[in-house]
């Protein structure tokens, strides 16, 4: 039952709800966002969460998850929209940006490459893109969740297509017989089209490319060129991973997509099949652990899954989406996607036939992915970390922060990212910092990251290289952002007042909001967190050294130009970097180092 004071606040807020579409948000007593939902009619939808007699209580007709959320809620806010479709888009944006406690966040905001052909050109060629190209006569293939680069390389290796985008005369590729010099009209457009059509057939049937690559690999090995043969072997392995081993024959050369989700033992697996010309050309799957069985909400998951895969920048390959099972907002999503792409988009649940078989296959693969993930050693450790430190989120997506400096010089910070069991190096970030001490440097780095949550989804967990003070700092920043992120800090063992690093052999302390933990050196949880911290430290040191080297080089140039080492040090301590020194006001520099030194700097600029 709701507390009396909470009941009074909520009762007043419930009376002010309009009968309009919009988004509503529930908050707990600490101002933390609990849940975001959308409604066709805000008043009717929000009031349905409650019973009003004899007292204001959570409605037991709702799911146990929602009932638990309502028991924690003390405050309600809402935003009206023009339509339910607009509300759904806004709801999805809030979930992605803020990760409310009782919403499910799939956490797959990565964009995948498409291979495309621009038929506006006289001699079209294959290219790669991650965004919609605003031209007519573009044909897309994909998205390819892996292997796009390998496919392109194989296509250009075996088909004598135009190799360069802006080639104006026959080049080396013409000389080695890998291009027929369309730039010099050595081949007609009609003959070129035949080659392009054959290449497209191979793109849709990767087994053709694999056979050619295997021949090349054997020839290289035969000539004892083992290093190049190994590269081809790896290329073959990547392309083979694109194939889906199924015994279903799609008679029609259709384009469509399949989505399915599976849930078992609190684990969620999502899967997407992309079908072009009747062939499954790529498969994408993600598996994650939800908080508990109460967290599973089929409608919420399908909404996010489809909206994230068909965003405004995504090329449209097929007008039909098949799903494994029915969900509530299917028609609303059809409306949104049809408006987004300017054509009718259908979301269907096949009952019989080949489409039903493929949907069943997708679901079976999703279940297999759960079983496979449960056997993964890293997954087991991450699950133990979640349970041991009582984290709200399963730490699938972890951001680790560290800073590095030398007596206030070359101040830098970094963020490294561990996501779905691997280092996501494309998401690593570097920061040049203004402040000199560790606390303010970490505040600067975390604040800059939090300000970017709208563009880059917040993680499940922040791991801070530091102690309790930095843990509290991170907490304040997360609370001010409104996001739901777990936080841990790892402080290094001190030996003779110096930080001691020894992979797997340091008695580091883990700080959480449940207390301070000293784990044994052979504890897998500690070793996992140390591995994350050490990668951030490696990246920070490397960036610091490069920054310091660059600053030393610039400093030596200034010394040769007449500035004293003391003046340079004073300017660098004040401005933080050489770029800011060069852009500084002359009078301000005079006040810092005197008119003579300021004039010498002005002469250099």
């Amino acid at each position: 039952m709701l507390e009396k004071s909470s009941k009074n606040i909520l009762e007043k807020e419930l009376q002010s709800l309009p009968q309009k579409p919009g988004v509503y948000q529930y908050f707990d007593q600490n101002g933390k966002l609990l849940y975001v939902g959308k409604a066709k009619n805000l008043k009717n939808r929000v009031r349905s969460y409650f019973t009003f007699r004899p007292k204001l209580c959570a409605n037991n007709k709702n799911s146990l998850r929602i009932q638990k959320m309502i028991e924690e809620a003390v405050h309600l806010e809402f935003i009206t929209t023009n339509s339910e479709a607009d509300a759904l888009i806004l709801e999805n944006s809030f979930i992605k940006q803020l990760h409310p406690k009782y919403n499910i966040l799939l956490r797959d905001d990565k964009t995948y490459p498409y291979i495309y052909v621009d038929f506006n050109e006289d001699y079209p060629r294959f290219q790669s893109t991650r965004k919609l190209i605003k031209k007519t006569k573009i044909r897309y293939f994909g998205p390819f969740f892996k292997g796009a680069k390998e496919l392109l390389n194989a296509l250009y290796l075996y088909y004598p297509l135009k190799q360069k985008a802006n080639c104006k005369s026959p080049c080396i590729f013409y000389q080695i017989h890998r291009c027929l010099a369309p730039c010099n009209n050595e081949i007609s457009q009609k003959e070129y089209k035949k080659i392009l059509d054959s290449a497209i057939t191979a793109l849709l049937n990767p087994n053709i490319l694999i056979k050619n690559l295997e021949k090349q690999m054997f020839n290289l090995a035969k000539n004892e060129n083992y290093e190049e043969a190994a590269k081809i072997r790896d290329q073959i392995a990547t392309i083979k991973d694109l194939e889906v081993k199924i015994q279903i024959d799609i008679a029609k050369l259709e384009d469509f997509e399949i989505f399915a989700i599976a849930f078992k033992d609190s684990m969620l697996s999502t899967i997407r099949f992309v079908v072009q010309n009747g062939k499954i050309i790529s498969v994408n799957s993600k598996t994650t652990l939800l908080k508990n069985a109460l967290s599973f909400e089929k409608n919420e998951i399908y909404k996010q899954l489809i909206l994230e895969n068909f965003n405004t920048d995504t090329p449209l390959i097929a007008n039909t989406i098949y799903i494994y099972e029915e969900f509530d907002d299917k028609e609303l999503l059809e409306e949104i996607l049809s408006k987004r792409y300017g054509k009718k988009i259908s979301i269907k649940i096949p009952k019989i036939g080949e489409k039903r078989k493929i949907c069943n296959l997708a679901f079976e693969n999703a279940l297999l992915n759960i079983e496979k993930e449960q056997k993964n050693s890293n997954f087991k450790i991450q699950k133990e970390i979640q349970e041991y430190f009582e984290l709200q989120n399963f730490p699938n997506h972890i951001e680790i922060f560290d800073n590095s400096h030398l007596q206030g010089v070359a101040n830098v910070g970094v963020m490294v990212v561990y996501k779905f069991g691997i280092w996501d190096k494309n998401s690593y970030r570097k920061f040049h910092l203004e402040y000199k001490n560790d606390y303010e440097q970490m505040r600067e780095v975390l604040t800059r990251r939090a300000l970017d949550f709208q563009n880059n989804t917040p993680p499940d967990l922040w791991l801070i290289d530091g102690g309790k003070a930095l843990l509290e700092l991170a907490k304040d920043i997360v609370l001010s952002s409104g996001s739901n992120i777990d936080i841990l800090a790892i402080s290094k063992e001190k030996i003779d007042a110096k930080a001691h690093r020894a992979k797997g052999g340091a008695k580091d302390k883990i700080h959480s909001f449940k207390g301070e933990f000293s784990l044994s050196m052979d504890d897998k949880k500690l070793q996992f967190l140390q591995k994350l911290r050490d990668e951030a430290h490696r990246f920070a040191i490397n960036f610091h050294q490069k920054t310091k080297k660059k600053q030393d080089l610039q400093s030596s140039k200034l010394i040769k130009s007449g500035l004293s080492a003391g003046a340079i040090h004073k300017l660098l301590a004040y401005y933080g970097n050489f770029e800011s020194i060069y852009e500084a006001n002359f009078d301000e520099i005079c006040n810092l180092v005197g008119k003579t030194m300021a004039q010498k700097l002005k002469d250099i600029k």
Side-chain angles (χ1 to χ4, degrees), residues 435-478:
Y435 293 99
K436 306 296 185 292
N437 67 76
D438 291 338
Y439 187 87
E440 294 299 334
Q441 286 179 348
M442 189 60 74
R443 182 197 296 277
E444 186 178 353
V445 169
L446 296 180
T447 300
R448 287 167 67 176
R449 172 63 185 108
L451 290 172
D452 194 42
F453 284 162
Q454 186 170 358
N455 300 315
N456 295 296
T457 303
D460 300 304
L461 172 66
W462 270 359
L463 180 62
I464 312 297
D465 186 3
K468 187 176 179 181
L470 294 185
L471 182 77
E472 292 293 337
L473 169 66
K475 177 184 176 182
D476 291 341
I477 292 171
V478 166

Side-chain angles (χ1 to χ4, degrees), residues 191-226:
E191 288 299 313
Y192 185 89
K193 186 178 182 303
K194 290 180 181 178
I195 298 171
L196 180 63
D197 289 343
S198 296
I200 289 173
T201 300
L203 175 59
L204 295 170
N205 298 271
N207 197 46
I208 297 172
L209 296 173
I210 290 170
K211 288 178 180 177
N212 290 329
L213 287 169
E214 286 174 340
K215 288 179 184 177
Q216 184 185 13
M217 180 181 69
F218 291 133
N219 286 333
L220 287 167
K222 187 177 179 181
N223 294 321
E224 299 185 358
N225 192 344
Y226 300 117

